[in-house]
């Protein structure tokens, strides 16, 4: 295994995905309270699963802050991520999240854009 392959494997192992049923309501509300995270959710809701890489979102934040926002969304059970080569692709976990928090994601996605 090459150094790059080993690095990608370690990177993938660092992804922790929490199922929405295991997320406290306060954590879900905190995750959707931030306008940058709402922008990420809105964009993912309009795209097929696994087609949007983290680095392709047009967000007004630094790379480190962007990573933090994705981690919060993962921890709240809102998104799932997987690595494909150097890209980290995203999926909105809408069915699972809707089952745990009926109507919350609909409310977030239907609210006016924060920009």
């Amino acid at each position: 295994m090459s150094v790059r392959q080993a690095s990608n494997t370690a990177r993938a192992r660092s992804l922790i995905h929490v199922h929405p049923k295991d997320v406290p309501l306060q954590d879900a509300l905190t995750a959707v309270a931030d306008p940058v995270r709402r922008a990420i959710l809105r964009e993912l809701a309009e795209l097929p699963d696994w087609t949007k890489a983290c680095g392709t979102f047009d967000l007004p934040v630094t790379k480190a802050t962007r990573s933090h926002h994705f981690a919060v969304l993962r921890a709240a059970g809102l998104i799932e991520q997987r690595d494909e080569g150097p890209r980290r692709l995203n999926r909105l976990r809408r069915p699972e999240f809707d089952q745990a928090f009926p109507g919350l994601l609909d409310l977030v996605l239907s609210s006016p854009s924060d920009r």
Side-chain angles (χ1 to χ4, degrees):
M1 180 181 295
S2 72
V3 172
R4 182 176 172 97
Q5 287 173 323
S7 174
N8 283 341
T9 302
R11 181 174 175 239
R13 280 195 304 256
S14 72
L15 288 177
I16 296 172
H17 294 97
V18 178
H19 195 282
K21 69 178 174 53
D22 298 324
V23 174
L25 176 59
Q26 184 60 49
D27 291 356
L29 293 172
T30 299
V32 299
D34 185 274
V36 171
R37 292 192 287 268
R38 287 194 303 270
I40 293 168
L41 294 173
R42 282 189 192 102
E43 194 159 348
L44 286 175
E46 295 177 7
L47 299 168
D49 291 350
W50 310 117
T51 58
K52 186 77 172 172
C54 293
T56 62
F57 286 84
D58 183 23
L59 302 172
V61 297
T62 65
K63 186 176 179 181
T65 302
R66 175 187 308 249
S67 294
H68 167 74
H69 285 303
F70 281 106
V72 170
L73 292 171
R74 260 194 337 267
L78 280 155
I79 66 168
E80 185 177 3
Q81 296 179 305
R82 72 176 186 208
D83 292 333
E84 285 191 10
R87 300 174 48 184
R88 180 161 283 173
L89 300 177
N90 299 277
R91 174 182 86 86
L92 181 62
R93 297 179 75 180
R94 188 169 192 151
E96 302 100 305
F97 195 82
D98 284 346
Q99 187 174 10
F101 302 101
L104 180 57
L105 197 52
D106 286 337
L107 181 64
V108 169
L109 296 175
S110 67
S111 67
S113 179
D114 298 301
R115 293 185 180 201

